[in-house]
Amino acid sequence: MTQTGTFDIVAKDGIATVQVGTTTLSLAQVQALGTTSISIDTPAGLLVLNGYTGTDAAGTISYSYTLQDPLAHGGDGTSVSEDFAVTVTDEDGDIDTSTLSVRIVDDTPQA
């Protein structure tokens, strides 16, 4: 099952790099995501960065996430998240970090 989403990035002094998980992209790579997607493979799923709308200082990255293997579910038994650290570095070295959390929900059988 594949789901899609977006997340916003901002670097008022201009985007130098964007790191998602352990994958670092230059501004040129971010701007080319619509034609050259970037895949981030994890033990649980595949995150594909596949679009960018914006400028050299701010914009929105589009992605898809495909669950590849089952994950152990905690507390409520129905959902778990796979988290990706997102770090944006601007042209003068300032850094801002956030988290992209992909929520994975199990289907629950019903009688």
Side-chain angles (χ1 to χ4, degrees):
M1 182 163 98
T2 299
Q3 295 293 323
T4 61
T6 62
F7 61 92
D8 295 327
I9 58 173
V10 176
K12 293 181 182 179
D13 292 327
I15 298 166
T17 62
V18 177
Q19 183 173 346
V20 181
T22 59
T23 301
T24 301
L25 293 79
S26 67
L27 174 61
Q29 288 174 301
V30 170
Q31 291 173 323
L33 285 173
T35 56
T36 307
S37 62
I38 301 289
S39 296
I40 301 168
D41 200 0
T42 72
L46 180 65
L47 178 70
V48 179
L49 307 177
N50 54 22
Y52 180 72
T53 305
T55 67
D56 62 351
T60 301
I61 294 178
S62 302
Y63 67 88
S64 65
Y65 180 87
T66 303
L67 184 63
Q68 300 180 121
D69 285 311
L71 292 176
H73 287 44
D76 65 6
T78 59
S79 69
V80 66
S81 293
E82 183 163 10
D83 295 331
F84 298 88
V86 177
T87 302
V88 178
T89 304
D90 71 14
E91 289 293 336
D92 66 0
D94 296 325
I95 295 173
D96 193 15
T97 301
S98 189
T99 302
L100 169 62
S101 292
V102 178
R103 185 169 171 244
I104 301 162
V105 180
D106 267 357
D107 292 328
T108 303
Q110 296 183 3

